[in-house]
Amino acid sequence: DSGVTQTPKHLITATGQRVTLRCSPRSGDLSVYWYQQSLDQGLQFLIQYYNGEERAKGNILERFSAQQFPDLHSELNLSSLELGDSALYFCASSENTGLGGYTFGSGTRLTVV
Amino acid sequence: AQTVTQSQPEMSVQEAETVTLSCTYDTSESDYYLFWYKQPPSRQMILVIRQEAYKQQNATENRFSVNFQKAAKSFSLKISDSQLGDAAMYFCAYNRGSTLGRLYFGRGTQLTVWP
């Protein structure tokens, strides 16, 4: 157990639907990062939050949004889902800026059918 | 833009032997961090080893060591005395020396360990 908890582990949904992925960071970590892993795109950085505020944004689609709550857990919302959104979504956390590397959760496998 | 290149999509090694995974990166920064992450079939991303660019000494973690060549922008991972449990996808990653913690990943190298 890495200390970073992601739920659910698996999710199957239909095109056009909306889903929410949840991440609880390791105790004491203020930063949360979201990554998407797919076969064709590899590991893509989506977004980073630090202590409730958006810190950096990567290749995140407009259909996707995220937030970090006062208790530091984070949610990634994916809407108007397309087949191409099927991927493994990782959350990671770090104490501060993550310069020393950070801890990943076990991921959420999203399948859009 | 920062890019990380892993030129070996697949590698294999005999148990107890040594294998080296290659990684090159492109950056204009002088201070940064480099990492190797391991992703076994469980999908969990596990930090294997970390190197700070300002340190000339190569990082070592038990059977894992790196050969960091800053001028050549090369960062290879050597696994000694390979074990069956080392079989996984290995990702090289880069992080700028700033307050932004995002990682830039290579496409990965799938390592197979033969008994």
Side-chain angles (χ1 to χ4, degrees):
Chain A
D1 183 8
S2 67
V4 178
T5 303
Q6 286 189 249
T7 57
K9 292 191 182 303
H10 302 276
L11 197 51
I12 301 175
T13 190
T15 54
Q17 295 298 306
R18 171 189 170 94
V19 297
T20 298
L21 312 184
R22 181 187 170 98
C23 170
S24 294
R26 199 176 51 171
S27 178
D29 286 356
L30 300 177
S31 272
V32 170
Y33 310 80
W34 287 96
Y35 284 84
Q36 178 194 59
Q37 185 179 27
S38 61
L39 285 176
D40 56 342
Q41 296 291 325
L43 274 155
Q44 296 287 317
F45 168 71
L46 295 178
I47 198 164
Q48 175 197 358
Y49 279 85
Y50 175 76
N51 203 21
E53 295 188 1
E54 182 183 305
R55 176 63 67 90
K57 186 176 284 190
N59 301 322
I60 188 166
L61 300 172
E62 287 189 6
R63 300 183 285 108
F64 297 180
S65 64
Q67 54 184 328
Q68 186 179 29
F69 294 86
D71 67 351
L72 300 179
H73 91 271
S74 178
E75 293 181 355
L76 179 66
N77 300 296
L78 315 176
S79 61
S80 302
L81 285 167
E82 303 174 357
L83 296 178
D85 297 327
S86 296
L88 187 56
Y89 291 84
F90 281 108
C91 167
S93 74
S94 68
E95 182 178 358
N96 194 347
T97 59
L99 290 178
Y102 34 74
T103 304
F104 281 83
S106 59
T108 293
R109 168 71 69 185
L110 173 67
T111 303
V112 182
V113 297
Chain B
Q2 286 79 18
T3 58
V4 179
T5 302
Q6 294 179 249
S7 59
Q8 307 154 317
E10 298 177 344
M11 291 283 285
S12 62
V13 63
Q14 202 82 27
E15 198 175 6
E17 297 297 309
T18 295
V19 65
T20 298
L21 309 184
S22 300
C23 173
T24 59
Y25 58 95
D26 183 28
T27 183
S28 58
E29 305 286 339
S30 59
D31 190 21
Y32 48 87
Y33 293 74
L34 296 163
F35 308 87
W36 280 97
Y37 277 88
K38 167 185 177 181
Q39 187 178 37
S42 67
R43 310 177 319 188
Q44 181 78 48
M45 292 287 285
I46 302 166
L47 179 62
V48 175
I49 200 164
R50 172 179 64 208
Q51 174 81 44
E52 291 90 340
Y54 66 86
K55 290 186 177 179
Q56 293 186 348
Q57 186 173 6
N58 290 324
T60 299
E61 290 286 344
N62 300 316
R63 299 182 295 106
F64 298 86
S65 61
V66 298
N67 182 5
F68 173 48
Q69 301 289 328
K70 191 172 184 178
K73 297 180 182 176
S74 171
F75 183 61
S76 60
L77 174 70
K78 185 172 82 171
I79 306 174
S80 303
D81 185 25
S82 296
Q83 301 175 359
L84 295 178
D86 295 334
M89 180 73 87
Y90 286 81
F91 292 96
C92 179
Y94 162 96
N95 180 310
R96 283 171 54 190
S98 71
T99 58
L100 297 178
R102 66 158 297 177
L103 290 173
Y104 296 84
F105 284 92
R107 294 304 298 263
T109 297
Q110 181 67 52
L111 178 66
T112 301
V113 181
W114 301 101

